[in-house]
Amino acid sequence: MPNSKFVSVITQCYQQLSPNGRKIANYLQQNPLDVLNMSVSEIAQITHTSKATVSRFFRQLGYANHQDVKDELRSARQNGYPIGESHQNNDYITQELQRIRQTWDNVDPNDINELIESITQSSRVTLIGFRNSYPVALHFRQQLLQVRGKVRLLPNPGQTLGEELEDIAEDELVIIVAFRRRPKIVKHLIEKIPTQQLVLMADPSAQIYQDQVKQLFICQLGQELPLDSYSAPMSVISVVCNQILNSDSHNGKDRIKAISKLYKDLDELE
C-alpha cells in the first residue's frame, strides 16, 4: 500500500523540522488518522508539545492549518485510499501487524535489492548497535553468517571503536542499527564513516541523517505502548537474508550445507 500524500510530505520535510516538530512528525507518520480524530490541543498533549507548535508544524508542511490537512485526508478516504485505523491498546496482534505494514509501505523493493547487492559484494559486513539496538544487530549478524562469511558485530564488550573504524576497508559495508534513545556516539560514527559505505536501520527520528548515509531503512516501533516493539526491523532482516539465500547469483545455499555439516561433525545441535 502506498503512502498517503500527508505522510509523504512529512518525510520530505522531516530534516527541516525543529526537535518538537519531529516529535509530532514521528507520531503522525505512524498515526495519520489521528489528524481526523484529534484536535490540535490533543495532538499537542499526546506529543508533549504545544498547540502553537502543532499549528506551526502543519504550516511548515505547506498546509494552511489543521483543517487543511483534515480536508485532504477526508478527500483521500472518499476516493478509496485505505488509511489505517486506530486500535485499543489490548489489540496487540493488530498493532504488531500495523507496525510491520507501515514499515514495508515505506520500503522501495529497489532499495532492498540495492542492500542485497551491497551485502553480497562487500569484502566484509560490519554491524554496529548499542543499547536495545545491539540485540537486533546481533540477530542481523547471525542471519547473515548463514549466507556469507566475514560478518562482524561491534562494539566488542568492553572495547573502544577507534581501532575498529581505522580497520574499515574501502570495499566494506557498515550497517548501523540505531533505534531511538541512541547514544551520542552514533552521530559521530555517521560523520566518520564514508557515506557510500554506510547503511542505517532506525526509527523515524533518524530521518535527520538521510543525506549522510547511502541507504536509510525506517522501521516503526510503535508509540502506543511504554516499551518499543522490534517486530518490524526483524521482518526487514528476515526478508533481506532470505532473499540473499534464494538468489541464483549467490552461493548461500552451499554455505548452508557446509555449516550444517560442521554442526554434525562438532555435535553442536540436538
Side-chain angles (χ1 to χ4, degrees):
M1 181 181 70
N3 247 342
S4 70
K5 178 184 175 183
F6 174 59
V7 174
S8 296
V9 170
I10 294 177
T11 301
Q12 293 166 12
C13 298
Y14 191 93
Q15 294 184 73
Q16 286 70 52
L17 298 173
S18 66
N20 279 337
R22 290 172 188 156
K23 289 181 183 179
I24 301 167
N26 294 343
Y27 179 79
L28 291 181
Q29 279 180 315
Q30 298 180 72
N31 306 280
L33 197 62
D34 282 357
V35 173
L36 294 174
N37 300 330
M38 300 172 68
S39 65
V40 168
S41 60
E42 288 172 329
I43 294 173
Q45 183 177 8
I46 201 167
T47 57
H48 304 288
T49 57
S50 67
K51 291 174 61 177
T53 302
V54 174
S55 297
R56 184 163 54 251
F57 167 79
F58 290 131
R59 291 196 298 273
Q60 284 182 291
L61 298 186
Y63 297 97
N65 47 42
H66 180 211
Q67 186 62 46
D68 196 13
V69 185
K70 292 170 71 174
D71 291 344
E72 179 184 287
L73 289 177
R74 286 198 180 102
S75 176
R77 291 181 71 192
Q78 290 170 0
N79 291 330
Y81 188 88
I83 300 175
E85 299 179 358
S86 299
H87 300 279
Q88 298 299 317
N89 280 348
N90 61 355
D91 193 355
Y92 297 117
I93 295 176
T94 299
Q95 290 170 349
E96 287 292 292
L97 292 173
Q98 182 177 337
R99 282 186 279 270
I100 295 171
R101 186 175 294 112
Q102 288 173 333
T103 296
W104 283 107
D105 283 349
N106 290 280
V107 176
D108 188 327
N110 292 326
D111 290 336
I112 293 292
N113 293 335
E114 182 179 348
L115 176 59
I116 289 171
E117 183 177 0
S118 297
I119 289 173
T120 55
Q121 295 187 359
S122 298
S123 62
R124 179 172 65 180
V125 176
T126 292
L127 287 145
I128 302 176
F130 301 92
R131 293 168 54 84
N132 279 2
S133 299
Y134 187 87
V136 179
L138 173 62
H139 177 70
F140 204 164
R141 173 184 178 270
Q142 292 305 111
Q143 295 295 92
L144 281 181
L145 277 175
Q146 303 296 313
V147 297
R148 65 152 292 160
K150 296 184 179 179
V151 183
R152 64 172 176 168
L153 174 66
L154 298 176
N156 292 314
Q159 299 299 307
T160 51
L161 283 171
E163 303 90 339
E164 310 290 356
L165 294 182
E166 178 62 25
D167 194 36
I168 292 176
E170 292 183 359
D171 58 352
E172 182 170 344
L173 179 68
V174 180
I175 302 175
I176 297 180
V177 182
F179 296 109
R180 54 191 171 208
R181 304 197 78 179
R182 298 178 289 273
K184 293 181 179 179
I185 192 174
V186 170
K187 176 182 178 182
H188 300 307
L189 290 174
I190 292 173
E191 292 171 348
K192 291 292 184 183
I193 299 170
T195 298
Q196 68 273 15
Q197 295 178 245
L198 183 57
V199 172
L200 180 61
M201 176 181 286
D203 64 279
S205 66
Q207 292 173 94
I208 55 174
Y209 300 118
Q210 176 76 59
D211 297 335
Q212 296 175 262
V213 298
K214 180 181 180 182
Q215 288 187 281
L216 173 62
F217 289 89
I218 295 299
C219 300
Q220 302 295 345
L221 309 182
Q223 296 196 118
E224 67 281 348
L225 297 173
L227 301 178
D228 290 338
S229 165
Y230 296 91
S231 57
M234 290 299 192
S235 173
V236 173
I237 291 169
S238 175
V239 168
V240 168
C241 294
N242 277 289
Q243 286 196 20
I244 293 174
L245 180 60
N246 292 326
S247 172
D248 293 333
S249 60
H250 188 66
N251 62 353
K253 293 180 181 178
D254 292 337
R255 180 175 173 83
I256 288 285
K257 291 178 182 178
I259 291 172
S260 297
K261 184 178 184 303
L262 285 171
Y263 287 155
K264 184 176 180 180
D265 292 345
L266 296 172
D267 195 25
E268 287 191 301
L269 302 179
E270 290 185 357

